[in-house]
Amino acid sequence: MDKLPAIHLPKIEFNREFSFSEADFERIRKLIYKEAGIALNPSKKDMVYGRLVRRIRELKLASFAAYVDLLESYTGKREFEQFVNALTTNLTFFFREEHHFPLLAEQLKQRVAAGERELTIWCAAASTGEEPYSLAIAALEAFPMGARPTISILATDLDTHVLEIGRKGVYSADKVARLPAGHASKYFDKLPDGSFQAKPVLRSLITFQRLNLVDTTWAVRSSFDAVFCRNVMIYFDRETQFSVLKKFVPLLKPDGLLFVGHSENFFFASDYFRLRGKTVYELTKRPA
């Protein structure tokens, strides 16, 4: 995690409100890699400027160099959370990569048929909550009302701001419109301002909690029937991806499934996971 190779950016500067040098970007790149495992490449320099310039204005600082000085100081610990939140990508919507949800439903039904009465799911990159609420709906839809097992969903993310949105479960009408037919009225209440809030039956299934996937240890103790970690490890280098995947292994039940993003491929971790279906992995079965 500490061995981030140096990169050299073209020394091209545009007219900006604040100076943003190659050295400033390199310092920011190292900080976000160490804290969140995010490996920024040179093409992200303008994105970094756009996301952090608001913090510099709000703090009334003179430059990006002054901002990084603050982050690296003892008094900058409070600002570090805002820094990480600003650089975290949170693109999501209800039932994204919809092919995963029938597979999840089948997995949960098989677990119950095998005698399980408590089902546990971890959404390891929860963002603003659309994914864990989609998981909750899929789990409820998998079972008749009188035959539902206990369902628990842990929803974690690094960004504290998006976690708070998820806890409230309030979404605009255009976002709720992405739900399958009939699900909006069944699982959401319309609010006076035209937005929609997840019904208590959904919110009661989900626990939102901050967790950094690149931390050495995780405050997670459950064994999960399914783990969803989608479209987050694309921002990690291979060493970090491998470290995270290894930590998933003891947290999955022996027949548990790991669901990943459409552009993620973990063939290099075949000692731990093997492909079960389209972007779905199971634990590698080793000989006794």
Side-chain angles (χ1 to χ4, degrees), residues 61-126:
L61 296 173
S63 64
F64 270 80
Y67 183 65
V68 184
D69 287 343
L70 172 65
L71 292 172
E72 293 177 336
S73 70
Y74 179 79
T75 56
K77 289 182 178 179
R78 280 183 165 182
E79 175 59 23
F80 221 95
E81 185 175 295
Q82 296 292 335
F83 166 70
V84 172
N85 288 355
L87 292 182
T88 304
T89 301
N90 292 296
L91 173 65
T92 187
F93 49 84
F94 289 107
F95 285 87
R96 185 182 186 186
E97 299 187 42
E98 60 185 3
H99 66 281
H100 279 161
F101 296 94
L103 293 173
L104 173 66
E106 185 60 30
Q107 164 77 350
L108 298 181
K109 289 176 182 177
Q110 290 176 1
R111 300 296 298 136
V112 170
E116 288 282 344
R117 295 306 303 163
E118 295 185 6
L119 301 176
T120 53
I121 306 168
W122 180 11
C123 178

Side-chain angles (χ1 to χ4, degrees), residues 242 266-274 284 286:
F242 193 63
F266 301 125
F267 64 89
F268 58 85
S270 59
D271 283 349
Y272 299 97
F273 289 97
R274 65 184 182 189
T284 299
R286 295 185 176 184

Side-chain angles (χ1 to χ4, degrees), residues 5 9 26 68 95 102 152 182 189 202 240 278-279:
L9 301 175
E26 182 67 13
V68 184
F95 285 87
S152 300
D189 293 318
L202 283 188
T240 306
K278 184 180 178 182
T279 58

Side-chain angles (χ1 to χ4, degrees), residues 106-257:
E106 185 60 30
Q107 164 77 350
L108 298 181
K109 289 176 182 177
Q110 290 176 1
R111 300 296 298 136
V112 170
E116 288 282 344
R117 295 306 303 163
E118 295 185 6
L119 301 176
T120 53
I121 306 168
W122 180 11
C123 178
S127 187
T128 46
E130 287 92 333
E131 183 168 296
Y133 284 116
S134 299
L135 298 177
I137 292 171
L140 291 177
E141 288 288 307
F143 302 99
M145 180 70 73
R148 284 176 181 164
T150 300
I151 300 165
S152 300
I153 299 172
L154 174 64
T156 67
D157 202 278
L158 178 62
D159 188 330
T160 54
H161 174 67
V162 297
L163 286 171
E164 188 56 34
I165 294 173
R167 286 190 189 97
K168 293 176 181 176
V170 177
Y171 301 97
S172 62
D174 62 308
K175 291 187 176 182
V176 173
R178 286 181 171 269
L179 287 163
H183 283 11
S185 59
K186 186 174 182 179
Y187 291 107
F188 287 79
D189 293 318
K190 189 171 184 179
L191 301 179
D193 65 358
S195 62
F196 290 78
Q197 183 171 36
K199 290 179 182 285
V201 66
L202 283 188
R203 301 204 309 274
S204 66
L205 301 184
I206 306 171
T207 299
F208 287 90
Q209 173 183 318
R210 185 181 187 274
L211 184 140
N212 189 343
L213 287 173
V214 303
D215 281 348
T216 304
T217 59
W218 296 336
V220 177
R221 297 293 175 265
S222 298
S223 293
F224 295 96
D225 297 288
V227 171
F228 278 66
C229 187
R230 307 191 301 176
N231 305 303
V232 60
M233 286 199 279
I234 54 174
Y235 301 105
F236 300 164
D237 60 21
R238 179 151 315 169
E239 180 185 353
T240 306
Q241 290 175 350
F242 193 63
S243 174
V244 171
L245 288 168
K246 285 194 295 184
K247 285 186 285 187
F248 280 141
V249 172
L251 296 174
L252 270 171
K253 293 178 181 177
D255 53 357
L257 297 179

